[in-house]
Amino acid sequence: MAVVDECKLKFLELKAKRNYRFIIFRIDGQQVVVEKLGSPEENYDDFSNSLPANECRYAVYDFDFTTVENCQKSKIFFIAWSPDSSSVRMKMVYASSKDRFKRELDGIQVELQATDPSEMSFDIIKSRAL
């Protein structure tokens, strides 16, 4: 599975320049491509609503939060979205390519696997960040 250079470049922009709040990737043929870029003004609901209900995706989300000590922090989440309603073949392709793709994105801090929106709710994201 090839990873298009744009995927790595956009991830670096999210990580270093904070140009995006999130990036959604999809597998197109034999390569991973960028499907959607979320602007810094978008929130977690915008992100979760951008994931298709019955197709797998990879996503990166830049989560800003405040610690108990009142420090502003951010963590970069990698989310493997694999809804139960997607085809078995699609789930297998995404599952078998995930680790290789994730290695291309240097700087992922938290990984999450979700098959249902409740498995990646804002509260879960928040609890995994702290």
Side-chain angles (χ1 to χ4, degrees):
M1 188 69 58
V3 178
V4 175
D5 285 343
E6 183 193 17
C7 294
K8 293 179 257 189
L9 292 171
K10 296 299 180 193
F11 176 74
L12 287 172
E13 287 179 28
L14 175 142
K15 186 173 89 169
K17 298 180 187 165
R18 317 238 15 224
N19 287 2
Y20 311 108
R21 171 68 53 208
F22 62 86
I23 308 172
I24 296 175
F25 306 94
R26 68 183 166 86
I27 294 176
D28 186 12
Q30 289 297 309
Q31 59 188 8
V32 180
V33 297
V34 172
E35 180 175 77
K36 180 171 183 182
L37 299 167
S39 71
E41 297 77 40
E42 294 191 66
N43 63 28
Y44 192 74
D45 287 335
D46 298 322
F47 164 66
S48 57
N49 291 334
S50 298
L51 293 169
N54 54 5
E55 289 183 19
C56 300
R57 292 292 186 270
Y58 300 129
V60 173
Y61 185 80
D62 186 8
F63 179 64
D64 293 326
F65 62 100
T66 306
T67 65
V68 180
E69 299 84 32
N70 210 24
C71 295
Q72 287 287 72
K73 288 199 165 183
S74 118
K75 286 217 171 147
I76 297 174
F77 279 74
F78 178 86
I79 298 169
W81 172 243
S82 183
D84 289 331
S85 56
S86 59
S87 72
V88 172
R89 185 182 187 306
M90 182 180 272
K91 287 188 236 185
M92 287 174 55
V93 168
Y94 274 80
S96 63
S97 309
K98 180 182 79 170
D99 288 336
R100 165 148 177 20
F101 177 59
K102 205 174 79 176
R103 276 196 303 273
E104 299 282 342
L105 308 177
D106 185 37
I108 300 288
Q109 294 161 302
V110 184
E111 182 183 341
L112 203 61
Q113 170 80 39
T115 60
D116 180 81
S118 67
E119 294 176 359
M120 51 175 271
S121 69
F122 186 76
D123 290 339
I124 290 173
I125 295 289
K126 197 170 167 183
S127 70
R128 292 287 302 272
L130 299 172

